[in-house]
Each structure stands twice: as structure tokens, then as C-alpha cells.
Amino acid sequence: MAKLESVSPDEHCIVTAAVAEAEKLTDGEIVTVIAQHSDDYRETPIYWAVAAMFLALACVAVFPEWFEGLLSFATGGWQHVYTPSEYLTLVMLLLAAKFGAVHLIVAWKPLRLALTPSGIKQARVRARAVNLFRVSAEKRTRGLTGVLIYLSMAEHRAEIVADSAIAAKVSPDVWGEAMADMIKELRAGRAGEGMAAAVRDVGKVLAEHFPKSDDNPNELPDRLIEL
């Protein structure tokens, strides 16, 4: 997937226009949100640092000659008989050095994101989408017909969250076409076009189940929200 950094003003206009057009045929209200990322994943460096520390401890336990050779190299080749206390202290220093070095390296944001398991990223994106939906769309329409389309660019993941009236009529797998059309554009680096494509597909579903009535106002903003 192409690298996505930000959304241009023209792409904002494309998405806003797509929302306005889709809502002409439905009482549903579509909210679009694009975020740079859904979480900082600050625990990831700690997990990898702990793993490196235990790996180093395992190497000392299974290959003590390796550790003794490391000590010999560090002291310029001088042989020394370490007491248990000294040996344990040196092992602890090795573990601390491993922990600190790996934590510092993995703290670099691109690497931190790359080393975060896919399942964790998916769960965080979903949680952020649900939280944003509760703030921006849930129970904010007269007919409980709000839908949030959420894209998290750093994780290259998207979510669609619908209000209760829509969820009662539309199965979550119905949104698959919208997700597929969005991903197609995202892979080409067109975040705005991807969001607009998803809006059009969601609008078709809403128009089928919640056609436009005569007295339905525009209850939620059409503009793209960028976080």
C-alpha cells in the first residue's frame, strides 16, 4: 500500500461532496474521519525489550562459554575467576544493556508500528473508531441512522460503525464492498478518493434501507474530519 501522509484540500472537497451527494437519497447521515494513527503503541518497545532481555538470559544459561568469551573480550583477554556475586552482577548488567538498547531502537515510531502485531493494531483501530462514533454520530440523529467511516492511515486500516437502527437492518458484512473499494484507492495513495468511494457504497446501502423522507434535516456535518 502506498505511503499516506496527509489529505489535500482537494481531497477534502471530494469527500465532502461525496457525502452530500449520498445523503440526497437517504435519511442516513454519514460521518467521515481520517486519523494519522489510532494509538502510539508505547508498550511495544517494552515488550520487545523484555523479549531481548530474556533471550540474552537464555543464551547465558545455555551457552555460558559465549558469555565468558564476551567477558574476556571486554577485559582485553585477561582471565579472571568471578565470584558468584560478580558473575550475577555482570549478567544483570548485560540484561540491562540489552533492555535499554532494544527499547531505544524500537521506540523509533516507524519500527515501533511495524513490530506491533497486526491483531493489536486492528483492535486499537476498531476501538478508536467506536469511541469516535460515540462522540460524533451515535444517537445524534432522529432516526438513529448515523454511520462513521473511519480511516487510520499509519495502520492502513479502516472501520465502518453504524448506529442501532442501521445495525438492526444491515449486517456488518454488507460493508465489505465499501471497504474493498476504499482499499483499492488507498493502495494507489489516494486517501480522499478511497474515502469517497466508501461513502458512495455506504450511501447506496442507506438509500435502500432508509430512503430520503420529506422532512429529514441534515443532522451531522458532511465535511471530512482529519485528526
Side-chain angles (χ1 to χ4, degrees), residues 77-202:
W78 290 93
Q79 298 296 322
H80 178 72
V81 179
Y82 295 98
T83 66
S85 178
E86 290 174 332
Y87 195 82
L88 181 60
T89 299
L90 291 170
V91 170
M92 294 300 293
L93 288 174
L94 172 66
L95 299 183
K98 283 286 185 181
F99 182 93
V102 172
H103 188 280
L104 183 63
I105 293 170
V106 180
W108 182 48
K109 187 175 180 179
L111 184 58
R112 182 171 76 230
L113 190 64
L115 292 179
T116 300
S118 178
I120 292 178
K121 287 189 283 191
Q122 184 63 56
R124 299 288 171 83
V125 170
R126 177 66 182 178
R128 183 83 188 281
V130 170
N131 287 337
L132 289 172
F133 171 72
R134 289 171 177 167
V135 171
S136 63
E138 186 177 28
K139 298 180 181 178
R140 291 179 178 269
T141 58
R142 185 172 57 190
L144 301 180
T145 54
V147 178
L148 171 72
I149 304 176
Y150 173 69
L151 170 62
S152 191
M153 294 202 290
E155 292 89 348
H156 291 167
R157 283 168 171 77
E159 290 284 343
I160 296 176
V161 188
D163 216 333
S164 56
I166 298 173
K169 291 186 177 183
V170 180
S171 173
D173 58 7
V174 172
W175 308 123
E177 182 178 352
M179 298 294 284
D181 287 343
M182 184 192 302
I183 290 171
K184 180 180 178 181
E185 295 294 338
L186 293 176
R187 284 176 174 163
R190 297 188 291 265
E193 291 287 355
M195 183 67 80
V199 167
R200 288 189 287 269
D201 290 337
V202 169

Side-chain angles (χ1 to χ4, degrees), residues 206-218:
L206 294 178
E208 177 183 352
H209 295 280
F210 302 92
K212 188 73 172 180
S213 59
D214 294 333
D215 61 344
N216 184 259
N218 187 12

